[in-house]
Structures are given as C-alpha cells and as structure tokens.
Amino acid sequence: MAAPRPRSNTTDNRRFLGQLSLPERNFVAEALRTETVGGVLLLAAAIAALIWANTPLRDSYAGVGDFHFGPAALGLNLSVQHWAADGLLAVFFFVAGIELKRELVAGDLRDPKAALLPVAAAVCGMAVPALVYTLTNAAGGGSLAGWAVPTATDIAFALAVLAVIGTSLPSALRAFLLTLAVVDDLLAILIIAVFFTDTLDFAALGGAVAGLGVFWVLLRKGVRGWYVYVPLALAIWGLMYNSGVHATIAGVAMGLMLRCHRHEGEEHSPGEHVEHLVRPLSAGLAVPLFALFSAGVVVSGGALGDVFTRPETLGVVLGLVVGKSVGVFGGTWLTARFTRASLSDDLAWPDVLAVASLAGIGFTVSLLIGELAFTAGPVLTDEVKAAVLVGSLVAAVLATALLKMRNAKYRALCEAEERDEDSDGIPDIYEQDNPAYHLRMAEIHERKAAEHRRLAEVAGGAGEEYDRPA
C-alpha cells in the first residue's frame, strides 16, 4: 500500500500559502537546493556565451555551434547546438516529467482544491503573455509565430537570482514557485508537441511509441539496471527525433511513467530515487550547456534598440515582464476571490506580486521555443533570443526590487521556520502543539538553570536565581 504523503495546508478552503507540512518542506528545500546550484551554473553559462559571441572569438563560437557529428545513417548527424537543444534538454524534461508525476500522485496537485491555485496561476501566467505578444504584433504588423516564446518560466534562473541577491523566500512561497514551474513545464511541452510539429514520420513515431510501451512494461515488472533503461531511452529518443515530434517529448513521457508513490517500507519511490540521481546531471550539465550554445547573441547598441522597436521582440519583452506578472498575480487573486480563500497571515499580496515577477524570467524554454518558432530567418531568431535575455533581465530587476522591500519580513519568517532550540532536527514551529515538545523544552531550561547555579556556586555566588521561561 502506498504511504500517503502529508500535504501543506494550502488545501484549506480559507487559507493558502500557509505553513507547509514538514515532509513537504524538506522535499522542497532539497529540490530547490539543487536547482539553485544549477541556476548559478546556468547564469554563468549564459554570461560566457554572451562574452564568447561578442569578442574577436565570435567566429569560433559559431563554428563550434555548427559543428556536426553523429550517425548520419540513423538521421542523427546533428550540430552541437541541435544536440544541446534536442538531446540535452530531453534530460531536463525527463526530470520535469518526474516532478509532474510526483506532484500528481503524491504532492499538492493530487488534491483538486490544493491544485487549483498553482494551476490557475500557471494557466493565466501563460495565457496573458501570449495575449500580450499577440496584441503587440497585431497592432505593429509583426509575425504571430512567436506567441509562445514569453509563456515559459525558468525556475533555475529564478532561483539563481534569489541566490545572487541574497534573499530567501518563506517555504510556502518557494513551494508555490516550484509547483507553478512544474505546471508551466507541462504546458510548455504541450505547446511544443501541438504547435511545433510540422511533419510526421509515422513509422518512426510508431517505433517510439512501441519503445515507450516496452519501457512501461519493464518498469511495471520491476526490472532494474541502468544498462537496460539507458539504451532503451536512447532508442526512444532517436525514434522520436526522426518522427518529427520534438525529441524532448520522449524525455517527459518516460519521466511520467516512473512510479512516484512509496510502497510500504520504502524510504524513496523509484521516481524519487531516479530524480535524485538525474537532477544534478540536468541542472549542472544539460541546461547550462544548452544555454552556452543558445544564448550567444551579438549585442550592440543598435541591436538592443531594435528589441524595443520591432513588434516581435517588443512582444517578447512585454510578454515576459508585464504578461507574466499580470497573469500569475491575476490568476492567484481571482482564485482567492472566487473560492473565498484568504492569504496566509504571514504574507501579503505584494509577496505574490514579487513571485509573479520572478516567473517572468523565462530563459531555457523560451530560447528553445524561439528557435522553433522562427526557423526561417536566423537574424530574427537571434533578435528574439536577445529579447528573451532583455525581458528576463528586466523581470529579474523588478523582482529584486520587490523582494528587497520585504526582505526583513522574509528573514524573520525563515528564521522562525529554521529555529530548533532543542536540537532534535525538527524545527520548533512543527512541534509547538506537541506536549512532548513543551516537556522537552522544560527539561532543557531546567538543565540550563542547574548549570547556572553550579557556576554561581563555584564563583562564590549566593545561588543567583535563574530566570527560567515559563
């Protein structure tokens, strides 16, 4: 029987973004720790790409990115840039698939009431940027092909911003941001699969589907061994690539097949175990390498000026900065309004707006969709990439300003969440209603009082009273 996983109190009909359950808090902390390290590496890779592409070494940057290798007989003689976008990002979406499966079967998305808030925020946070882009280009006579570019959120880059500016969000806001990004990734996958598949090779697609079926059967039979699954996964990926469907779909499909609920006696489910192994590869290698070969656009005064004058690029910037903030914040507020829910006493609506602004940092998937949307003109593709960088930067600056205004409040909340006076490894905030906790604290204070009296006697004191808290 699957061990039920405690959920946060966001399931309350009257309160949301409140204190998480202890298991949920620990899981979020571990997941975001890895993502934060990956985000810093991602940021470093993006900066390296920009430097490489805007120095006298720019020709070598283009040469390395265009270098082809791979088995041509299998239709896989790809450039380095394509290997990064189609191959390495499949690892990223594999982890995203596991995260989504875990949320659906063991996390907040399992409960429709708890899922309503992040799902509504994510849907509005993708619909409004697409609408902003469409209106901007309809008014300016631009191409509508890039409507999906500003719809994605890059959780790793957002966490890198948090790490760089030296602020930390309370666990409830961090969990909301993580769940929002998981739903965002799912919707981005659906957009790529539906809107960016031009032609289909049904034989290759049938082979990929058959491979996924074998993958599922092996998992259900309990077959173990990386030497079984890795070659099979590579075959599925290659068939999916040749089918015309974007190859990253294979990654998310395999991630969704892993079991993410725990059986009795299990410390970790297979999905959690695989995610723990693969997440560092995704965050530390796959995504930074993709950024290295996708973010290298030529930046000049004229090019930056064009970002704000061309409708396609202006639509991307406005979609990320304005559309994401309005969409995520509006979706959250409307959900609270129409479900008669109220915000946690520890937080205020400006906190939700700050998280909504962070969601405007759309780097990895936005760059990928930009490459898929504007394949006809490499110049426009680079300009759209520049717009993604500018929009993400503006969103990061805006979020930084909003977060810094509330940093003292966040610091106090985080300290309260981390306080562990009895040093038992469990934060005191989770034990305050437990009689055993109060008994243990009384024993600790009694020991401190006895030690104080002993020291006073040694020093020749007269048994100075120790003011023991009640």
Side-chain angles (χ1 to χ4, degrees), residues 8 11 24 49-50 66 69 96 107 110 158 162 165 222 226 266 276 348 360 370 376 384 415 426:
S8 68
T11 57
E24 182 74 11
L50 288 170
D66 291 336
F69 67 97
R110 177 175 62 175
L162 291 178
I165 66 176
W226 65 266
E266 281 187 336
H276 180 74
V384 168
E415 288 175 355
I426 301 176

Side-chain angles (χ1 to χ4, degrees), residues 204-292:
L205 182 60
V209 172
L212 288 171
V214 173
F215 190 87
W216 184 84
V217 170
L218 292 176
L219 288 174
R220 292 302 171 270
K221 295 292 185 182
V223 177
R224 297 176 178 271
W226 65 266
Y227 47 83
V228 174
Y229 290 103
V230 171
L232 179 58
L234 291 174
I236 294 170
W237 175 86
L239 288 166
M240 190 69 75
Y241 176 84
N242 282 288
S243 72
V245 178
H246 200 270
T248 53
I249 305 299
V252 75
M254 287 184 280
L256 285 169
M257 289 183 181
L258 290 174
R259 176 169 62 82
C260 291
H261 61 272
R262 301 176 189 177
H263 288 164
E264 188 174 0
E266 281 187 336
E267 184 177 356
H268 301 288
S269 67
E272 290 172 322
H273 178 67
V274 172
E275 181 184 7
H276 180 74
L277 294 176
V278 180
R279 185 188 287 274
L281 176 63
S282 169
L285 181 65
V287 176
L289 282 179
F290 167 77
L292 181 63

Side-chain angles (χ1 to χ4, degrees), residues 76 131 167 186 197 200 204 227 256 268 297 358:
L76 296 175
L131 180 62
T167 189
L186 170 65
T197 299
L200 283 176
Y227 47 83
L256 285 169
H268 301 288
V297 295
L358 270 177

Side-chain angles (χ1 to χ4, degrees), residues 27 31 51 75 90 97 100 127 151 157 177 236 294 332-333 342 346 356 392 397 422 458:
F27 176 85
I51 294 174
L100 177 62
T151 60
F157 219 132
L177 182 61
I236 294 170
S294 293
T332 306
W333 186 86
S342 60
D346 293 329
S392 297
V397 172
D422 55 351
V458 171

Side-chain angles (χ1 to χ4, degrees), residues 374-433:
F374 298 102
T375 56
V379 174
L380 182 54
T381 301
D382 285 345
E383 290 177 345
V384 168
K385 287 182 178 181
V388 171
L389 296 176
V390 171
S392 297
L393 178 61
V394 174
V397 172
L398 177 61
T400 297
L402 293 173
L403 291 169
K404 282 297 184 182
M405 292 171 60
R406 298 276 291 171
N407 200 34
K409 177 67 173 179
Y410 295 154
R411 188 181 299 113
L413 289 174
C414 290
E415 288 175 355
E417 290 178 358
E418 297 294 335
R419 187 174 295 117
D420 183 17
E421 291 190 17
D422 55 351
S423 302
D424 65 346
I426 301 176
D428 297 340
I429 196 171
Y430 292 96
E431 300 181 299
Q432 290 176 353
D433 296 329

